[in-house]
Amino acid sequence: RADIALYRAKRAGRNRTKIESGAWPPFAAELRDAIDDDTINVHYQPIVELASGNIVGVEALLRWAPATRPDLRPDEIVRIAEDNDLIAALDQSVLRRACLDALEMQRSVITRLDLNVNVSGLEINEKNYADMVDDTLRATGWPSDQLILEVTETFLAADTETAIANIRTLRERGIRIAIDDFGSGYSSLNRLAELPTDLLKLDANFVFSITPTSGPPRLLAAVAALGVALELPVIAEGVETASQDAAVKSIGFRFAQGYFYGRPEPAGAFIAAAAASTRR
Ligand code: C2E
Ligand code: MG
Ligand code: MG
Ligand code: MG
């Protein structure tokens, strides 16, 4: 399919790693087994509302150390899964686990949590994707209006009718769509304005460029203004330091995520931390 071929071509241009193709078949088999045995781990990183400091949601992030390649990063695992026709099964496995864990986490923090889950650009171009999400929500009991699916703007580069149809269907069912790594890729502002979307997640590199002495880069303020103009809330990603936290607050971002507020951790650790903070 032309759109998927284009997605692959665009993706090939970035994030190239030193994975040799010879390592893929054993890895793919191991991944298949891990999905079947449900031994893929998921960690959760808080997303905070800057004005209140409250945790309003968590992003689910794949964690898995295969015996054949224990050094692989999550984005590399995702890419190999895409190249070996395993991405649908992998993303579904993460979504399912995340919905179940989120039910537990929400109970522990008592307040409402949104769950953010990443979707591969290939997956969102599959005809049955919206139905798969529906099935998983029904099976787990996680509410559709508390699910945010994160797609990268890479998939926008292609002529993506199926993806847009999926996104429309998902949004009709109350699921929100976030554009992940916004500003790092290929989307034109034209396409962005047309796209049915609910949130922007600003690529972490914009925030990384804030230093204690530099002050907020003007580009960062421009992106915040773009969010306001499009009436889309923007989440600043990659906030690691107090000066970056101060900068994203002063620019007027509504939400932020990064090591400054919390690192990705297993659901159990998240729940334990929530319990400790209520006791305080
Ligand atoms: P992403 O969706 O943009 O996720 C944010 C990444 O930034 C995560 O990396 C997170 O651990 C990292 N991060 C968060 N805060 C900070 C910070 O303050 N400083 C720095 N330096 N990094 C921070 P991670 O977990 O390695 O995931 C990398 C990418 O892999 C994700 O980027 C996402 O694109 C992809 N990914 C992860 N899990 C899944 C999944 O289940 N399905 C799919 N399709 N992709 C996934
Ligand atoms: Mg993400
Ligand atoms: Mg991101
Ligand atoms: Mg990323």
Side-chain angles (χ1 to χ4, degrees):
R1 300 243 308 286
D3 50 357
I4 290 178
L6 222 129
Y7 169 80
R8 284 191 195 276
K10 292 284 183 190
R11 196 200 52 186
R14 42 156 227 170
N15 277 345
R16 278 276 92 156
T17 55
K18 10 67 206 156
I19 307 160
E20 324 78 43
S21 56
W24 293 8
F27 174 87
E30 196 188 349
L31 178 57
R32 171 89 264 165
D33 287 347
I35 292 166
D36 290 346
D37 303 344
D38 199 20
T39 54
I40 301 283
N41 290 317
V42 182
H43 284 192
Y44 301 90
Q45 184 176 33
I47 296 172
V48 300
E49 183 183 45
L50 288 165
S52 63
N54 292 335
I55 296 177
V56 292
V58 291
E59 178 173 7
L61 294 160
L62 163 72
R63 291 292 179 270
W64 184 54
T68 47
R69 285 298 300 267
D71 56 321
L72 290 178
R73 300 190 313 258
D75 56 305
E76 294 172 320
I77 293 171
V78 164
R79 194 163 65 72
I80 301 175
E82 288 178 334
D83 289 343
N84 288 273
D85 279 329
L86 286 167
I87 190 62
L90 179 62
D91 272 0
Q92 184 172 6
S93 168
V94 170
L95 178 63
R96 199 180 144 276
R97 164 96 359 247
C99 287
L100 293 171
D101 285 345
L103 284 166
E104 291 289 320
M105 290 189 284
Q106 178 163 262
R107 238 170 262 144
S108 74
V109 295
I110 305 157
T111 153
R112 180 192 160 99
L113 276 186
D114 283 333
L115 172 65
N116 287 44
V117 178
N118 293 286
V119 184
S120 153
L122 279 186
E123 214 7 37
I124 196 89
N125 279 290
E126 290 295 332
K127 282 233 151 50
N128 65 354
Y129 179 70
D131 291 337
M132 184 283 284
V133 173
D134 223 28
D135 291 346
T136 306
L137 289 178
R138 240 195 308 259
T140 58
W142 183 255
S144 59
D145 64 353
Q146 285 171 252
L147 179 65
I148 298 173
L149 294 172
E150 299 190 0
V151 294
T152 57
E153 52 184 348
T154 320
F155 91 94
L156 295 173
D159 179 23
T160 49
E161 263 171 51
T162 310
I164 302 289
N166 274 325
I167 287 174
R168 285 192 203 288
T169 307
L170 291 162
R171 292 181 84 233
E172 278 162 16
R173 296 173 184 169
I175 294 158
R176 280 163 289 163
I177 302 293
I179 304 295
D180 205 353
D181 301 343
F182 176 70
S184 69
Y186 309 88
S187 73
S188 73
L189 292 177
N190 261 336
R191 300 265 345 245
L192 183 71
E194 289 167 5
L195 189 79
T197 186
D198 302 281
L199 284 153
L200 301 177
K201 292 191 77 174
L202 179 66
D203 188 67
N205 285 310
F206 290 96
V207 171
F208 292 161
S209 67
I210 302 170
T211 68
T213 47
S214 72
R218 277 189 256 184
L219 201 52
L220 205 65
V223 179
L226 182 67
V228 172
L230 295 171
E231 296 177 10
L232 295 174
V234 185
I235 303 176
E237 282 195 89
V239 176
E240 294 182 342
T241 66
S243 60
Q244 290 168 346
D245 169 67
V248 295
K249 273 181 187 144
S250 75
I251 293 168
F253 287 97
R254 271 187 64 195
F255 304 104
Q257 179 179 348
Y259 298 162
F260 184 73
Y261 314 103
R263 288 187 178 251
E265 56 186 3
F270 184 93
I271 290 166
S277 74
T278 3
R279 270 199 300 276
R280 238 183 270 130

